[in-house]
Amino acid sequence: MSYKCSRCKRDVELDEYGGVRCPYCGHRVLLKERAPDVKEIDVQ
């Protein structure tokens, strides 16, 4: 799954043993990438 580091803005791929830390700068806040498509909700 692809994440983006909130400090250095680089793409980070996490494996199951890597932990939650950016391998480039060591920051621990990673943002999950969202899909570019917009979802519509039918409100009734």
Side-chain angles (χ1 to χ4, degrees):
M1 183 160 283
S2 180
Y3 292 89
K4 186 172 287 238
C5 176
S6 66
R7 180 184 286 165
C8 69
K9 308 293 188 237
R10 294 176 86 174
D11 290 329
V12 177
E13 288 288 330
L14 296 181
D15 58 2
E16 74 182 74
Y17 301 109
V20 182
R21 187 175 292 263
C22 176
Y24 305 106
C25 70
H27 198 59
R28 292 176 54 186
V29 178
L30 301 177
L31 306 172
K32 187 174 183 180
E33 292 290 307
R34 290 184 176 224
D37 46 314
V38 178
K39 297 179 182 178
E40 294 183 20
I41 300 173
D42 184 26
V43 180
Q44 292 181 347

